[in-house]
């Protein structure tokens, strides 16, 4: 892949930013500047060696082996098997007695079968036809896609006894489409892709229930126009399909029960917030399946709500009346792990440690509510899996400075055995330094925000390092690393970027999820108006006690909404950020499900959308900027970058552009590797003055 460069007279660089001398009588002045070494007598290592080390570090973090055990339980026993990834049995299947902790290798032919969802064997798609096959091999349904409508099938759609299957059909006839051009052949091919933008029509879903025995199908009497729908599971008896419906602005969230025999629906729960949204936006991007838990004794269900300002658990009967709030306090509950009707206990994952608000622990509480009792104590993130009987559970845990480990524990939380610990030898050989956690005050001077600092393997406190804010803001994701290895690609990119001899910082500013509703709602209706100020405040405070952080050479970079905010930083804080790299930047007028629940409809909040737009700010660009975008991106379409380019050209601002043909939102290798290396080269050149760049960008006069 090659960069597409916007050419201009070669600029001059000094201490990480670009100087463009004024022309005398129309002739550009030529000056010679000598970059000072990074420390007395020190010489910069070869740029290619830095790039190789950074990429090796990225891959070592991505493939960190061991420490995370996934169990396959042996039916009718208190035993499970797992494939060891580290230690003396690496690569072997192990059988473990969950009560005693004894373990021994087991032959692959003796493994228990993979559990299958109730009723479902497999799905077979051929062209526009989707066949749903039962466990016994019979055909439960044959669903045929129409030109503007497709079927959505999920395991949650099956009734527990396999008799009924609920499916959704999405009619996208009126939905906007973005053109995706395939450049692989001389005769380009254009594919229109459904993409409902903010303020434009959404797909219209309809719910259908299939009788797996007779293969008959009935459409539910359910209005989901201008809304999102998800099948959340089933009530056992009498059978009712459970459907979540959220209005497009996120101000109303409902749970409905649908009778599979006549298609009638009834309302069980309604949460409303006229002034904001009912839930964190991560709910709409992956948290749906945690929203409802059907109680195994058939008495009702558990429902999550942020109605008191925190994500808490409520217990409902099937009449939907008089819910009981089960958890209370200044902390969020994230998920229900297990409900034990026999013991009258509920196990949940929550962040109830006020001193460490992002840690996630396993807690137990009475079925009718009460105080949480912790069952895990090591700081960090805990992911647990109970045995079918509930007598034991596996606890996978780590923190940013403690490698992954899996402990086998009894139901009371006591440890039976440690099964596995991550093999960190590969990253240790590369000089791994865990990121340093820090806390700061937001730009309001009151709200506590959290971040991490990545430093290079050859870090020395006697040196001064340029600083890069690797940003991802907004209500979509809590991006700061909280486990030993990066769990999302942007954390790996930040950690490996530091290996170029940079200090890289990530911050969860106001507006991000994972805390209380007020913390996220700080940016409700005004995305882009305070996040950069929070990041600048956090970086300034972090540097106060760390003289090795050189904020006179500060850059900003990010991908997706991080790309939007990287642009935002360069345009709203040009005096602070000296260089920026925006990867696949999004825009507030793009995907409706991402924008509208936190911004409202464009017609209802025109000022918020206008103030959050980067386009009118193009003339404020003062430092070197590079934008990367893939032409086949259907998350943040290429058109958003084209509009930004037009604005920059109209404002006579210089920039670089890397276009990756046919690449999606997150380019896979080798294009992804090229992109990572391009980001590293850019920051090395603009903030450190090292590396060879044939062209540069500059707007400072």
């Amino acid at each position: 892949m090659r960069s597409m460069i916007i050419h201009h007279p070669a600029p001059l660089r000094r201490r990480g930013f670009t100087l463009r001398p004024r022309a005398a009588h129309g002739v550009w002045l030529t000056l010679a500047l000598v970059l000072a070494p990074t420390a007395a007598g020190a010489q910069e290592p070869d740029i290619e060696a830095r790039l190789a080390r950074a990429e090796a570090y990225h891959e070592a973090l991505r493939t960190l082996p061991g420490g995370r055990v996934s169990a396959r339980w042996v039916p009718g026993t208190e035993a499970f098997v797992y494939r060891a990834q580290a230690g003396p049995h690496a690569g072997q299947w192990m059988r473990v007695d969950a009560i005693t902790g004894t373990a021994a290798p087991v032959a692959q032919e003796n493994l228990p079968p993979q559990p299958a969802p109730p009723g479902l064997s497999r799905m077979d798609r051929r062209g526009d036809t989707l066949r749903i096959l039962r466990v016994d091999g019979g055909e439960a349904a044959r669903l045929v896609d129409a030109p503007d409508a497709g079927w959505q099938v999920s395991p949650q759609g099956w009734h527990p006894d396999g008799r009924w299957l609920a499916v959704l059909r999405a009619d996208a006839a009126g939905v906007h489409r973005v053109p995706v051009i395939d450049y692989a052949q001389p005769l380009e091919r254009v594919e229109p892709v459904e993409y409902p933008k903010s303020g434009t029509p959404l797909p219209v879903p309809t719910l259908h229930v299939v009788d797996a025995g007779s293969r008959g199908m009935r459409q539910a009497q359910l209005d989901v126009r201008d809304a999102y729908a998800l099948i959340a599971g089933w009530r056992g008896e009498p059978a009712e399909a459970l459907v979540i419906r959220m209005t497009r602005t996120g101000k109303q969230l409902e749970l409905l029960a649908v009778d599979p025999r006549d298609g009638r629906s009834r309302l069980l729960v309604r949460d409303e917030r006229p002034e904001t949204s009912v839930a964190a936006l991560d709910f709409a991007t992956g948290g749906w399946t945690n929203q409802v838990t059907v109680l195994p004794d058939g008495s009702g269900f558990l429902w999550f709500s942020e109605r008191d300002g925190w994500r808490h658990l409520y217990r409902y009967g099937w009449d939907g009346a008089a819910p009981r709030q089960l958890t209370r306090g200044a902390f969020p509950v994230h998920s229900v792990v297990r409900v034990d009707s026999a013991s009258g206990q509920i196990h949940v994952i929550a962040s109830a440690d006020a001193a460490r608000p992002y840690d996630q622990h396993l807690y137990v509480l009475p079925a009718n509510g009460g105080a949480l009792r912790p069952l895990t104590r090591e700081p960090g993130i805990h992911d647990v899996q109970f045995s079918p009987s509930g007598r034991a559970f596996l606890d996978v845990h780590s923190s940013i400075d403690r490698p992954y480990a899996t402990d086998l524990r009894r139901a009371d939380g006591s440890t039976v055995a440690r099964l596995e610990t991550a093999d960190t030898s590969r990253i240790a050989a590369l000089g791994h330094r865990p990121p340093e956690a820090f806390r700061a005050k937001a730009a309001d001077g009151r709200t506590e925000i959290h971040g991490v600092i990545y430093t290079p393997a050859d870090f020395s406190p006697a040196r001064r390092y340029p600083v890069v804010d690797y940003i991802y803001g907004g209500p979509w994701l809590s991006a700061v690393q909280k486990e030993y290895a990066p769990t999302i690609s942007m954390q790996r990119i930040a950690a490996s970027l530091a290996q170029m001899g940079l200090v890289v910082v990530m911050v969860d500013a106001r507006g991000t999820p994972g805390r209380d509703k007020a913390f996220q709602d700080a940016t409700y209706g005004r995305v882009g108006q305070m996040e950069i100020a929070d990041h600048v405040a956090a970086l300034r405070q972090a540097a106060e006690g760390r003289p090795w952080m050189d904020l006179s050479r500060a850059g900003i970079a990010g991908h997706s909404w991080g790309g939007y905010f990287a642009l935002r930083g360069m345009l709203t804080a040009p005096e602070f950020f000296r260089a920026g790299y925006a990867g696949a930047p999004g825009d507030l007028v793009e995907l409706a499900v991402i924008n509208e629940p936190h911004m409202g409809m464009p017609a209802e909040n025109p000022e918020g959308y206008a103030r959050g737009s980067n386009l009118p700010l193009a003339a404020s660009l003062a430092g070197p900027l590079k934008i990367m975008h893939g032409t086949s991106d259907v998350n943040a379409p290429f058109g958003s970058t084209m509009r930004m380019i037009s604005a920059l050209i109209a404002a006579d601002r210089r920039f670089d552009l890397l276009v990756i043909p046919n690449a999606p939102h997150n380019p896979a290798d080798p294009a992804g590797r090229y992109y990572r290396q391009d980001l590293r080269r850019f920051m090395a050149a603009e903030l450190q003055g090292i590396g060879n760049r044939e062209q540069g960008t500059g707007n400072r006069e």
Side-chain angles (χ1 to χ4, degrees), residues 196-231:
K197 294 195 175 189
S198 298
T200 69
L202 300 181
V204 179
T206 52
L207 179 75
H208 302 257
V209 180
V210 177
D211 186 320
S214 68
R215 297 178 57 191
M217 181 183 293
R218 182 184 298 276
Q219 181 174 334
Q221 300 173 30
L222 190 66
D223 184 4
V224 282
R225 290 170 297 178
D226 259 356
Y228 303 99
L230 178 93
I231 299 166

Side-chain angles (χ1 to χ4, degrees), residues 180-190 631-632 661-662:
V180 175
I181 303 175
D182 182 355
Y183 294 101
Q185 302 298 328
L187 296 179
E188 298 88 348
R189 185 173 62 89
V190 180
T631 62
S632 294
N662 292 3

Side-chain angles (χ1 to χ4, degrees), residues 355-625:
R356 299 177 60 91
Y358 287 101
D359 282 8
Q360 296 185 12
H361 287 276
L362 176 67
Y363 296 87
V364 63
L365 73 149
N368 288 322
L372 298 181
R373 178 166 58 88
L375 296 180
T376 56
R377 287 180 169 79
E378 297 88 349
I381 304 297
H382 292 258
D383 184 16
V384 304
Q385 180 186 355
F386 270 88
S387 67
S389 70
R391 296 175 61 190
F393 66 90
L394 279 83
D395 175 20
V396 180
H397 57 91
S398 77
S399 63
I400 60 172
D401 57 0
R402 191 183 73 256
Y404 289 98
T406 298
D407 292 331
L408 176 61
R409 301 186 188 273
R410 301 178 185 90
D412 63 2
S414 59
T415 302
V416 177
R418 174 151 294 181
L419 300 179
E420 194 167 297
T421 302
D423 179 357
T424 61
S425 58
R426 185 179 174 191
I427 58 173
L430 292 169
H432 174 64
R433 292 172 53 85
E436 177 189 355
F438 76 97
R439 304 183 186 199
K441 296 296 183 183
D444 63 0
R446 302 184 305 274
T447 306
E448 184 177 83
I449 56 178
H450 292 234
V452 292
I453 301 171
Y454 298 92
T455 51
D458 58 355
F459 172 80
S460 169
R463 298 181 65 182
R464 296 268 290 168
Y465 294 89
V467 178
V468 176
D469 180 4
Y470 199 85
I471 190 169
Y472 193 95
W476 308 280
L477 182 68
S478 172
V480 168
Q481 184 175 332
K482 301 166 183 70
E483 301 182 39
Y484 188 74
T487 55
I488 51 179
S489 61
M490 67 182 72
Q491 295 167 358
R492 289 192 297 274
I493 292 171
S496 59
L497 180 59
Q499 305 315 307
M500 297 299 295
L502 301 163
V503 168
V504 181
V505 180
M506 295 187 75
V507 176
D508 281 333
R510 286 177 295 170
T512 54
R515 300 268 290 274
D516 59 296
K517 193 70 171 67
F519 185 86
Q520 186 175 51
D521 282 350
T523 60
Y524 180 80
R526 46 181 178 164
V527 170
Q529 297 183 39
M530 67 175 62
E531 296 90 340
I532 296 301
D534 277 4
H535 278 250
V536 171
L539 265 63
R540 290 191 187 282
Q541 292 168 65
E544 287 176 359
R546 299 172 178 87
W548 34 269
M549 292 177 62
D550 183 1
L551 294 186
S552 71
R553 294 183 289 165
I556 188 168
H559 184 83
S560 189
W561 280 112
Y564 162 86
F565 280 107
L567 287 172
R568 199 82 183 157
M570 292 297 291
L571 299 175
T572 63
E575 76 292 342
F576 185 84
F577 293 113
R578 297 298 187 174
Y581 195 116
D587 189 85
L588 296 181
V589 297
E590 298 297 350
L591 198 60
V593 70
I594 296 297
N595 289 305
E596 292 173 352
H598 200 73
M599 286 293 294
M601 298 291 284
E604 298 168 355
N605 184 21
E607 181 182 358
Y609 278 87
R611 293 187 64 183
S613 175
N614 286 327
L615 303 181
L617 305 176
S620 300
L621 181 65
L625 169 68

